[in-house]
Amino acid sequence: QLQGEIAILRDQLTKSSREKEQIHFKKLEDEKLQEQKFRKEIENLKSKLEFRDRDVEELRNKLEVSESNNRDNGQPAKRPRLSVVKLEPKKGPTSSMYRNYSCII
């Protein structure tokens, strides 16, 4: 009787050990897959960053050329135009307050 119980316990222990080992290998496999995903994502982001850097450098070069051309031609740098707008409020008791005011936008 005792030998039977020992055999059953040994089998359960072996089965439990195998299950733990399978779980361990599954976790390792999942970690490797996750690491591969992260590496791909990092490579993708690096590639995007390189393209953005090139775009920024290209725009800087264009700006420098444009500024250089403007200096060579004696043209001042382009600035946004300002305009004066007269405020014409709706007729009402306070309309006389605004007649002589103007606003720069």
Side-chain angles (χ1 to χ4, degrees), residues 50 52 76 84 103:
E50 287 174 7
R52 295 269 166 87
V84 177
C103 179

Side-chain angles (χ1 to χ4, degrees), residues 41-51:
E41 184 66 22
I42 287 172
E43 289 302 315
N44 185 21
L45 291 172
K46 282 181 181 179
S47 178
K48 285 181 179 181
L49 183 60
E50 287 174 7
F51 280 110

Side-chain angles (χ1 to χ4, degrees), residues 7-82:
I8 291 172
L9 290 174
R10 188 177 299 131
D11 288 343
Q12 288 177 346
L13 182 61
T14 305
K15 184 179 177 182
S16 176
S17 294
R18 270 191 247 128
E19 288 174 355
K20 284 183 181 180
E21 194 174 296
Q22 287 176 348
I23 290 170
H24 176 72
F25 285 125
K26 177 71 172 138
K27 283 183 180 180
L28 285 176
E29 187 178 315
D30 290 345
E31 287 175 2
K32 284 181 183 179
L33 289 173
Q34 190 71 16
E35 186 177 335
Q36 287 175 350
K37 280 181 171 179
F38 286 146
R39 285 183 183 183
K40 283 182 181 179
E41 184 66 22
I42 287 172
E43 289 302 315
N44 185 21
L45 291 172
K46 282 181 181 179
S47 178
K48 285 181 179 181
L49 183 60
E50 287 174 7
F51 280 110
R52 295 269 166 87
D53 286 346
R54 285 186 208 142
D55 288 344
V56 167
E57 188 62 31
E58 184 179 328
L59 290 172
R60 280 186 184 145
N61 289 337
K62 285 181 180 181
L63 178 63
E64 287 175 7
V65 167
S66 175
E67 287 176 344
S68 174
N69 288 341
N70 285 343
R71 278 192 301 259
D72 293 344
N73 294 335
Q75 296 175 355
K78 293 182 181 178
R79 301 190 189 274
R81 292 184 180 193
L82 298 177

